[in-house]
Amino acid sequence: MVSVELFTRDKIDAVLEFEAKLRRQEPDTFFMDAGESYRTLLERSFDDGRFVNSVSLLAYRAGRVVGRIDGVILAARSDAACTCAYLDWICVLKEERHRQVAQLLLRELRRELKERGADTLIAIMAHNPDSLRFYRSVENATIHDEAVWMDL
C-alpha cells in the first residue's frame, strides 16, 4: 500500500535516498548533484518565505519514498489572485511506475492545491514516452501548447 505525506524537514534524508536511487536508475535524466550543498538548500527552504506557496508530497511504500511531486501556487498581479498553480516535478522510481503511484501523487497535489485556493494546475510536459502517456491520461485536463491545464 502506498501512502502520501507532506514533505517536511524531517524527511530530507528519505528524499535524498530516493533521489540517489533515481540518479542510479536514470543517470542521463537527473543531472543535478544531490550532495551536501543540495541538502543545505533543502534545509534552508523550510525557513525561507519564498517557499510559502510550495507544496511537496512524497509517496511511501514500506517505509521508503518511492515517488515525489512538487507544485507551487503562483502569485501573479496579472489577475491579482493566487488561483493558478504550476506542477514543477513529478517522478516515481522505475519499479513503481505503472502501479498508480504518479496518479495518486497528482490526485493528492490537486486536492491540496484546491484546498489552498487554486483552481488550475499547469504542467510543462516532458517529451519522454512515459511522461507523455501519463499526461495524456490525466482526467479533467486538456493539452495547450505543450502545457497541461488541469482543473482542480
Side-chain angles (χ1 to χ4, degrees):
M1 174 140 188
V2 175
S3 63
V4 175
E5 299 179 19
L6 193 63
F7 177 12
T8 54
R9 182 190 310 262
D10 61 311
K11 296 178 174 100
I12 290 175
D13 286 337
V15 166
L16 293 175
E17 183 179 314
F18 162 74
E19 291 183 13
K21 187 165 186 178
L22 279 175
R23 283 171 184 75
R24 288 190 302 273
Q25 288 182 350
E26 300 181 74
D28 296 331
T29 303
F30 299 98
F31 50 88
M32 189 175 78
D33 178 35
E36 283 305 308
S37 61
Y38 179 55
R39 173 189 289 280
T40 300
L41 290 172
L42 282 177
E43 289 170 351
R44 287 181 187 161
S45 73
F46 290 99
D47 298 318
D48 188 330
R50 293 176 297 170
F51 292 85
V52 69
N53 288 330
S54 296
V55 178
S56 298
L57 302 174
L58 306 173
Y60 281 85
R61 184 185 304 277
R64 68 182 185 100
V65 177
V66 298
R68 178 177 170 185
I69 191 167
D70 289 81
V72 62
I73 297 174
L74 303 174
R77 290 193 173 89
S78 61
D79 58 7
C82 299
T83 61
C84 187
Y86 171 68
L87 173 61
D88 184 56
W89 192 53
I90 183 170
C91 198
V92 174
L93 294 176
K94 280 188 172 187
E95 65 269 18
E96 293 289 337
R97 293 178 189 169
H98 311 292
R99 296 179 73 187
Q100 303 298 307
V101 175
Q103 290 83 348
L104 177 61
L105 282 166
L106 182 58
R107 184 171 49 250
E108 287 301 307
L109 179 67
R110 291 168 86 174
R111 184 197 56 73
E112 180 70 26
L113 292 170
K114 185 174 184 175
E115 190 174 289
R116 294 183 187 202
D119 62 17
T120 305
L121 176 61
I122 299 171
I124 307 300
M125 293 172 47
H127 285 281
N128 65 65
D130 285 338
S131 294
L132 291 172
R133 187 178 325 107
F134 173 73
Y135 285 120
R136 288 182 178 133
S137 73
V138 173
E139 292 182 26
N140 298 318
T142 55
I143 298 173
H144 298 266
D145 301 322
E146 300 296 317
V148 179
W149 296 63
M150 295 170 247
D151 297 327
L152 301 178

